[in-house]
Structure formats: C-alpha cells, structure tokens
Amino acid sequence: MPYSPEHKQNSREQILSGAMHLFSRKGFANVSIDELMAEAGMTRGAFYAHFKSKSVLYAEAVMFAAMNSQVITKMNPDDTELSWFKRVVDTYLDISHVEMAVSPCPLAFLATDVASSDPKVRQAYTEVYKGLVKLFDAHRPPRMAKSDPDINLAITALMIGGVAISRALHDKTLVKQLLNTCRSIAYRLAQGK
C-alpha cells in the first residue's frame, strides 16, 4: 500500500529538519547521506524518493530553515514596528541562537559553507537573505523610515555576522560582548541615530 501524501510530506520535512541541524553543525562536506537519513530516522533508500542529490537537499534545507525559523518571527497584532524589531534582534543576537538551542538561521550558520556551494544552493541562500531584508523593510520603525533606504542591508549583515563570528569564538565573555554590541548598534541604526 503506498504512503499517503501527508506521510510523504512529513517524511520530507523530517529529512529537511535533520539536514539543517547537521549542516549547521558540520557543514555540507562533512555530512553523508547515511548520516542525514539516520538523523531523520529513515534508511538511505528513502533519500532518493525525496531528493535527487545532497546538493538539492541542501538548497531546500536552507529555504525550509528560513521558513520555519524560531528567531525571525512575524509581527503580533499588539507589536509596533520598533517592538517587533527589538524582539527579532534580541532573539537573533542571543546566546541561545549561537548555541543552537533554537532552530538556527541558515544565513548565520551556513554563510561560509554556502560560499563554496553550487549555484542552486547560493541562489537559495540569496533568496533567503533578500526575504529577510524585505521583512525588515516592511516593518521599519518610524525614525528608521526616514533614514538611508539601504540601512536594513547593514542591520541584517550586522546580525548575521555577529552570530557567525560568535559561533567561531572560544571566549564566552567575548561572545556575550559581541552580541550585546551588535544588538546596541542595530537599535541605534533602527532609531536613526
């Protein structure tokens, strides 16, 4: 008896979720298909029922992670642009994000890995980044609305870079200082200071 469409979709999402976790920790080259499928609780044979190659999975995992991010959230009805902005920046530039206690943002966790990937993966990463910038553009705090139209490129780069560098540092005190500094600068930029 064939699997239902819901079962296939759930299996696919399990693979994507596990893949993002492994790729974020180990990078593309250091993760095997067997490892990916073990993480999802499935056999290697099931991989090819969902994906043509590991590169295709990687590109889809970047998009999947962005769509299911716990660190970039939508505005709540009671949010102002500034309160939404601060919540997103605080969550993104938090030690729990750096330590992967929440699902990681692929922009920060895969930046150097994607740079040497195939064009489909780089395209997926580019689309995720553009989406993040558009989201920030759509929710500009009032003071920021009058400032440089490209300010969100700087803010998002500051956030992504802050997390990416924090992941590489061994000094927890320096990590906290870096995250706090990035947060403070992002607030100032958002308030047009």
Side-chain angles (χ1 to χ4, degrees):
M1 177 176 219
Y3 289 116
S4 71
E6 294 83 18
H7 180 271
K8 285 184 87 170
Q9 184 61 31
N10 288 341
S11 295
R12 183 180 187 79
E13 288 178 6
Q14 261 183 273
I15 296 168
L16 288 165
S17 180
M20 187 57 210
H21 178 75
L22 287 172
F23 290 143
S24 295
R25 282 187 329 168
K26 299 171 93 177
F28 178 81
N30 296 319
V31 177
S32 70
I33 291 175
D34 288 335
E35 242 181 313
L36 289 164
M37 297 311 288
E39 180 78 12
M42 297 176 214
T43 63
R44 180 185 179 93
F47 177 86
Y48 294 101
H50 296 280
F51 304 98
K52 290 181 183 178
S53 68
K54 191 169 93 168
S55 289
V56 169
L57 168 61
Y58 193 59
E60 288 192 35
V62 168
M63 296 299 281
F64 179 81
M67 298 303 293
N68 294 284
S69 174
Q70 295 173 338
V71 292
I72 305 293
T73 59
K74 295 181 180 176
M75 273 186 82
N76 296 324
D78 57 335
D79 277 339
T80 65
E81 284 81 3
L82 188 58
S83 67
W84 173 85
F85 178 88
K86 285 184 173 184
R87 186 179 70 249
V88 170
V89 169
D90 287 349
T91 305
Y92 200 96
L93 291 168
D94 189 85
I95 193 73
S96 63
H97 184 211
V98 173
E99 294 174 346
M100 291 178 61
V102 295
S103 61
C105 173
L107 295 171
F109 281 72
L110 301 176
T112 56
D113 203 43
V114 168
S116 60
S117 293
D118 72 34
K120 286 181 185 175
V121 174
R122 293 182 75 184
Q123 182 61 38
Y125 186 93
T126 300
E127 292 306 315
V128 169
Y129 180 69
K130 285 179 178 179
L132 179 62
V133 173
K134 282 181 187 174
L135 184 64
F136 272 71
D137 283 342
H139 302 302
R140 278 179 181 251
R143 285 189 187 163
M144 196 169 122
K146 297 175 185 169
S147 65
D148 183 347
D150 293 331
I151 198 77
N152 283 325
L153 292 173
I155 291 171
T156 54
L158 177 74
M159 291 168 55
I160 294 163
V163 171
I165 292 169
S166 292
R167 292 188 64 230
L169 297 175
H170 187 62
D171 181 334
K172 293 286 185 195
T173 302
L174 182 57
V175 167
K176 288 178 184 174
Q177 182 182 3
L178 175 61
L179 293 172
N180 287 334
T181 300
C182 289
R183 193 177 305 113
S184 175
I185 299 293
Y187 291 167
R188 280 191 270 173
L189 289 170
Q191 294 174 10
K193 294 181 182 179

